[in-house]
Amino acid sequence: MADTIPARPAREVASAVNESRPARVMLMALAFAFLAIFLALPLVLVFLQAFSRGLGYFVETLFEPDSLSAIRLTLIVAAIAVPLNLVFGVAMAWAIAKFEFKGKAFLTTLIDLPFSVSPVISGLVYVILFGAQSALGPWLRAHGIEILFAVPGIVLATIFVTFPFVARELIPLMQDQGTGDEEAAISLGANGWQTFRYVTLPNIKWGLLYGVLLCNARAMGEFGAVSVVSGHIRGQTNTMPLHVEVLYNGYNVTGAFAVASLLAGLALVTLALKTLLEMRYGAEIAATRGH
Amino acid sequence: MTAAPARAGWRLKQPSVVPGFGLTLGLSLAWLALIILIPLCGLAWRSAALGWSEFWAIATDRRTLNALRISFGTAFVAAVVNVVFGTLVAWVLVRYRFFGRRIVDAMVDLPFALPTAVAGIALTTLYASNGWAGSLLKPLGIKVAYTPLGIVVALVFIGLPFVVRTVQPVMEEIDREVEEAAATLGASRFQTVTRVLFPGLAPAILTGFALAFARGVGEYGSVIFIAGNLPNISEIAPLLIVIRLEEFNYPAATAIAAIMLAIAFLMLLVINLLQAWNRKRYG
């Protein structure tokens, strides 16, 4: 008799801090339905549409000169923008995380600024700065320097929109780690570079990789800012996302999805690596998930 | 720590043996000025040069006002939808254990990783009247693609991770004992959730709302494909900026951008205050 009594109260208590089974099933069904409709369906559709005219057409689209040039330009832009944001992102994180100084909070806000600016405006600011009607415009033209509607403009706009990624990932991580390790290294006679290279870098490497991963995904996928500065010259200043638009608006929907599927593949690889990093090195990339 | 009492007066930085302050701060400020501040100041300067009457004429132009109304209105509706479903998704991810939870959790970040143009054409194809979802909604008389509703759909897609990723960590920190206490004191599960848990989650939910809203207002790539882009009906403000630029109407493009930036900064301020409030409540 005694051993039958606790059974029921135990279940009662368990259900008092959990939803009832029907409620739980309903909540999960609702959440899954929402995610399926808004996230899974569009993703599946990209790949189905890409191959809707067969593998031959898919390959043919990707090997068209305009597609190849778009892929090459996207890779070039990312290859310039990401390393620059990596180096300066680390510098910004070092200054902010390792020191206490006046105006630090304001500086941190400024670094985050590009996230609150519409991508179109991120492009527009460079059009205003370097355009023909600006103070710099005629001078640039006289010296034969092309920034707008050319690769430098695309690179600048990409750097603008990906500006915060690395610093934003590193700042909380480096603040958590404090300055104890660096102080020890300095007191043992290491110079600044040695301290960074052999003490700080190993501490932040996974967080840094995480930030670079997100930075790269955005750099390769940016549309609005790049669209404004690129001038849409086919085969010259079209990146992959812009080429998707050109194909789509030219009623080559399958072609557009073929190029889009490459970008979607990149997104999936990014998510997979990101999840892997979070699983294996969660503590070393800190609890700052999200954008 | 070992510094002499702060008699030295104003000092930029507290003493530290860690080197590199001058170098890294210098690099940071130079990079920030070059990439962000000088271009943004250029925009501010150009819009100031317009003069008040011209600026006012552009700002109160019917098409401008409608574009701003559509951008802010659809972003607001989408953020509300995301608050409801984003909180639900966060709840399911934090509280329930099910097969494939890691994958679902990773998928939530898809809108961060998927280029907006790809999302745009995928959603448009999905919700066009001959698409998978569009053909199901058509008999019900609901048109999504090429209407303002389409803009909302795109912005729900874009904004979802902002709410989930803001609410999820706070939800994980909830002490289960609080719920046990509420249950012991006779609260029903519904009362515990609505009166005990949600007040604690409110700052995070509000922050997620503000982030999703701010992102939605400026969003361009995913929206322009699905919107239909009819002036005064489904034309968003960022698109109007692009149209004015293509017409070489730089003053109008600049003025609309300046209005959007001013509102964006205001929202950034609100978000920072919300996050400070959030941190104060949850160390």
Side-chain angles (χ1 to χ4, degrees):
Chain A
M1 196 179 158
D3 54 335
T4 58
I5 290 169
R8 267 192 76 192
R11 274 193 68 174
E12 297 272 288
V13 170
S15 70
V17 287
N18 278 315
E19 291 74 51
S20 64
R21 204 179 151 74
R24 206 178 330 170
V25 169
M26 207 188 70
L27 289 176
M28 281 173 73
L30 209 58
F32 291 152
F34 178 81
L35 292 176
I37 291 170
F38 276 93
L39 299 185
L41 223 50
L43 186 66
V44 171
L45 182 121
V46 169
F47 291 103
L48 286 183
Q49 287 279 337
F51 292 102
S52 63
R53 287 207 221 163
L55 188 66
Y57 189 81
F58 176 83
V59 174
E60 202 178 298
T61 304
L62 294 185
F63 280 92
E64 272 176 12
D66 285 353
S67 305
L68 285 177
S69 118
I71 295 169
R72 201 180 58 229
L73 181 59
T74 293
L75 293 175
I76 291 171
V77 169
I80 303 171
V82 175
L84 280 172
N85 270 332
L86 165 72
V87 171
F88 287 98
V90 170
M92 291 189 284
W94 183 273
I96 286 175
K98 298 292 178 195
F99 303 98
E100 292 300 326
F101 57 93
K102 297 228 164 54
K104 190 162 115 164
F106 184 60
L107 183 60
T108 314
T109 309
L110 285 182
I111 289 172
D112 271 348
L113 205 57
F115 279 148
S116 341
V117 174
S118 171
V120 166
I121 298 177
S122 315
L124 173 73
V125 291
Y126 293 109
V127 174
I128 288 173
L129 202 61
F130 298 117
Q133 76 316 318
S134 73
L136 273 175
W139 185 86
L140 289 171
R141 185 139 53 151
H143 289 77
I145 303 169
E146 281 189 320
I147 293 181
L148 279 185
F149 315 129
V151 178
I154 299 174
V155 171
L156 277 172
T158 304
I159 292 175
F160 187 109
V161 293
T162 55
F163 191 89
F165 281 95
V166 173
R168 181 179 241 243
E169 183 56 42
L170 289 182
I171 290 168
L173 178 65
M174 287 167 76
Q175 270 172 340
D176 260 13
Q177 290 171 350
T179 53
D181 289 0
E182 284 78 13
E183 281 161 14
I186 298 291
S187 71
L188 290 172
N191 65 30
W193 172 249
Q194 286 170 327
T195 306
F196 173 74
R197 172 72 186 76
Y198 298 107
V199 177
T200 311
L201 197 57
N203 281 340
I204 61 168
K205 60 175 186 273
W206 298 116
L208 190 60
L209 189 60
Y210 190 89
V212 166
L213 196 65
L214 300 182
C215 181
N216 180 62
R218 180 72 194 264
M220 290 191 168
E222 178 51 28
F223 178 78
V226 168
S227 168
V228 171
V229 294
S230 111
H232 300 94
I233 307 165
R234 261 186 109 143
Q236 285 182 40
T237 61
N238 268 348
T239 61
M240 282 166 80
L242 296 181
H243 194 50
V244 168
E245 185 196 23
V246 167
L247 292 171
Y248 188 83
N249 288 344
Y251 300 103
N252 183 357
V253 173
T254 311
F257 276 106
V259 179
S261 72
L262 288 187
L263 290 166
L266 170 77
L268 288 180
V269 170
T270 303
L271 286 183
L273 289 175
K274 180 174 170 296
T275 309
L276 197 73
L277 281 175
E278 280 165 7
M279 275 164 70
R280 299 192 70 169
Y281 307 104
E284 288 166 68
I285 48 183
T288 52
R289 293 201 290 162
H291 49 284
Chain B
M1 315 303 121
T2 52
R7 275 285 167 83
W10 196 87
R11 183 192 269 147
L12 174 65
K13 140 182 141 38
Q14 286 179 18
S16 163
V17 296
V18 180
F21 178 71
L23 177 71
T24 55
L25 188 70
L27 283 176
S28 303
L29 292 177
W31 188 236
L32 191 70
L34 209 65
I35 300 292
I36 312 284
L37 297 181
I38 293 175
L40 276 180
C41 289
L43 178 83
W45 185 76
R46 280 294 288 258
S47 58
L50 283 177
W52 183 245
S53 62
E54 197 185 348
F55 184 87
W56 187 250
I58 295 164
T60 55
D61 173 63
R62 181 163 163 263
R63 195 167 164 189
T64 309
L65 283 179
N66 277 325
L68 288 169
R69 183 180 55 81
I70 292 159
S71 274
F72 283 90
T74 52
F76 184 85
V77 175
V80 170
V81 173
N82 272 330
V83 157
V84 175
F85 284 95
T87 309
L88 172 69
V89 168
W91 182 263
V92 168
L93 286 174
V94 170
R95 286 306 173 94
Y96 305 150
R97 291 293 166 266
F98 51 87
F99 179 74
R101 195 178 64 92
R102 273 243 163 246
I103 293 169
V104 174
D105 192 77
M107 279 293 292
V108 167
D109 279 332
L110 182 71
F112 284 152
L114 193 69
T116 52
V118 178
I121 63 167
L123 290 170
T124 310
T125 309
L126 201 55
Y127 286 96
S129 56
N130 59 352
W132 295 345
S135 58
L136 291 176
L137 293 170
K138 202 180 170 190
L140 306 172
I142 304 170
K143 274 187 74 180
V144 178
Y146 315 122
T147 70
L149 191 58
I151 305 177
V152 173
V153 167
L155 296 183
V156 168
F157 174 87
I158 292 298
L160 178 74
F162 288 94
V163 176
V164 178
R165 294 305 182 221
T166 322
V167 175
Q168 196 178 16
V170 181
M171 237 175 218
E172 272 162 4
E173 292 298 307
I174 292 175
D175 193 350
R176 294 303 291 263
E177 281 176 18
V178 176
E179 287 161 75
E180 282 164 20
T184 323
L185 292 169
S188 71
R189 184 65 190 153
F190 183 75
Q191 284 173 322
T192 308
V193 171
T194 54
R195 299 215 197 152
V196 178
L197 295 184
F198 276 106
L201 292 173
I205 292 176
L206 261 175
T207 307
F209 173 86
L211 288 170
F213 180 61
R215 174 69 201 265
V217 168
E219 178 56 24
Y220 175 73
S222 61
V223 174
I224 53 159
F225 294 98
I226 202 170
N229 307 327
L230 287 170
N232 302 315
I233 296 168
S234 56
E235 183 180 73
I236 54 166
L239 177 65
L240 189 56
I241 295 177
V242 171
I243 289 173
R244 294 302 186 221
L245 264 182
E246 281 169 357
E247 296 168 349
F248 298 105
N249 187 351
Y250 288 90
T254 311
I256 303 167
I259 297 168
M260 289 192 69
L261 267 184
I263 302 173
F265 290 158
L266 206 68
M267 288 196 303
L268 188 69
L269 191 73
V270 172
I271 291 169
N272 278 347
L273 288 175
L274 278 171
Q275 276 172 340
W277 181 35
N278 209 349
R279 266 195 298 275
K280 219 162 82 184
R281 289 183 71 150
Y282 300 94

